[in-house]
Amino acid sequence: MPNTNAKLHSNHRDGREASRRELVSRSLQSAQHCLENQDFGTAYAHYLLVLNLAPELKTTVKETFQFTLFKWAEELDSLARIQDLFNCYEQALELYPNDEVICNSMGEHLFRMGFRDEAAGYFHKAVKLNPDFADAKENFYRVANWLVERWHFIMLNDAKRNLTYLKAIENAVHSGSKSVLDIGTGTGILSMFAKKAGASFVYACELSKTMYELACDVVAANNMEREIKLLHLKSLDLEIPKHIPERVSLVVTETVDAGLFGEGIVESLIHAWEHLLLQPK
């Protein structure tokens, strides 16, 4: 009797496997037929079914799946079915989370729709996945020109300014300010000044996603990613102890351009003084 049951289970498994293979085969044939007739939406649905039933085929059908996705996305875009377009890309990235071509294409759609900050994130990921991917690099530099204000480059090349900030931060840290908050960190330069000066704890917040990711890269390139806590937040949204464990003894900031109307230098400093900065006794 036990042998009979085992045989039945084996036959059942074999039957399910045969059915799976048959369904995958039929779906591949249907997808190909739809592509020949330029029915990209139905072809895309068939490929989703294939890849979910047979993940072992991911490498085999990757290029054809990409082609189908991009063609279907073009149709959805022309029909203004934006949410459906994004849903397709989310499904594709669940199947191919480390595919630089899909990431780059998603970024291109976002950029055309005006979501430049989000587009930069996908272009950046594509370049990270493949540093030699020329299209992604060109796209990332293009969107960076929209998002990284020109005054960042001017400031970073202002040696006199940087030296003045460095000395001021060093003086404050050496006078006992061991925990530092950098509001609107930008590239992270002031945070790194604070850490190099000997601050025990350095926290930095940045509202722009592009600048936040850039700061992460710059800090990591200087081997300080474990010593500086970077937060993608507006300073007014910082909470203790949710984001930083306790009040800091020094706040540094240089939000002195259009940030006066965005981040709000006055409001930020008042918030830091009242809620995040240690009060003098």
Side-chain angles (χ1 to χ4, degrees):
M1 192 70 174
N3 290 336
T4 302
N5 288 337
K7 187 174 181 180
L8 287 173
H9 284 302
S10 177
N11 290 338
H12 183 61
R13 284 195 303 271
D14 292 343
R16 283 189 304 177
E17 178 59 23
S19 297
R20 183 187 74 90
R21 288 197 299 266
E22 177 66 18
L23 182 55
V24 168
S25 177
R26 287 182 177 273
S27 293
L28 284 172
Q29 291 174 11
S30 297
Q32 188 60 43
H33 179 72
C34 290
L35 286 178
E36 291 170 0
N37 290 285
Q38 297 189 345
D39 182 359
F40 299 114
T42 307
Y44 176 76
H46 280 298
Y47 277 119
L48 281 184
L49 178 61
V50 168
L51 290 168
N52 278 286
L53 286 175
E56 67 274 12
L57 295 179
K58 281 184 178 181
T59 302
T60 305
V61 303
K62 180 178 177 179
E63 290 187 8
T64 310
F65 175 76
Q66 288 175 343
F67 172 81
T68 306
L69 167 67
F70 301 155
K71 286 294 186 180
W72 178 224
E74 287 177 8
E75 282 192 24
L76 292 173
D77 193 8
S78 68
L79 295 169
R81 292 172 55 183
I82 306 306
Q83 190 56 56
D84 289 335
L85 185 153
F86 287 148
N87 288 341
C88 286
Y89 272 96
E90 288 175 2
Q91 292 167 338
L93 287 169
E94 285 181 6
L95 293 166
Y96 296 96
N98 296 318
D99 189 291
E100 69 273 20
V101 178
I102 295 176
C103 286
N104 182 66
S105 180
M106 174 67 155
E108 290 175 337
H109 281 287
L110 287 165
F111 185 78
R112 283 196 294 271
M113 293 173 192
F115 300 106
R116 297 190 178 110
D117 216 24
E118 293 81 358
Y122 281 98
F123 294 145
H124 183 258
K125 182 178 179 180
V127 174
K128 283 278 192 179
L129 289 168
N130 182 1
D132 296 323
F133 189 8
D135 286 350
K137 286 197 292 186
E138 181 180 345
N139 284 331
F140 181 69
Y141 295 145
R142 178 163 55 113
V143 75
N145 284 330
W146 288 84
L147 296 171
V148 180
E149 294 85 346
R150 295 298 179 186
W151 51 263
H152 274 291
F153 302 109
I154 297 171
M155 289 192 310
L156 290 173
N157 287 284
D158 187 342
K160 183 177 179 180
R161 161 200 168 274
N162 293 337
L163 183 60
T164 301
Y165 265 99
L166 175 59
K167 288 182 177 178
I169 291 171
E170 284 179 343
N171 289 337
V173 171
H174 295 164
S175 297
S177 298
K178 296 299 183 182
S179 55
V180 180
L181 171 63
D182 180 5
I183 294 177
T185 192
T187 58
I189 188 170
L190 299 186
S191 294
M192 291 188 291
F193 283 169
K195 193 61 195 178
K196 287 181 178 179
S200 302
F201 305 99
V202 179
Y203 312 98
C205 61
E206 174 56 53
L207 180 60
S208 165
K209 183 179 180 183
T210 300
M211 293 308 300
Y212 164 76
E213 291 179 347
L214 178 59
C216 289
D217 285 345
V218 172
V219 168
N222 284 272
N223 299 314
M224 292 186 181
E225 65 269 29
R226 295 184 180 180
E227 301 173 324
I228 297 174
K229 183 176 181 180
L230 290 160
L231 299 159
H232 181 212
L233 284 173
K234 188 175 182 179
S235 65
L236 298 176
D237 295 331
L238 282 175
E239 297 179 18
I240 298 171
K242 182 179 179 180
H243 301 115
I244 59 178
E246 56 188 3
R247 293 188 178 199
V248 298
S249 52
L250 175 67
V251 170
V252 296
T253 187
E254 196 179 16
T255 47
V256 293
D257 75 312
L260 285 167
F261 308 101
E263 172 75 359
I265 183 66
V266 176
E267 291 85 352
S268 297
L269 290 178
I270 291 173
H271 174 71
W273 176 260
E274 293 180 344
H275 302 287
L276 305 172
L277 191 64
L278 286 172
Q279 302 293 316
K281 295 180 180 179

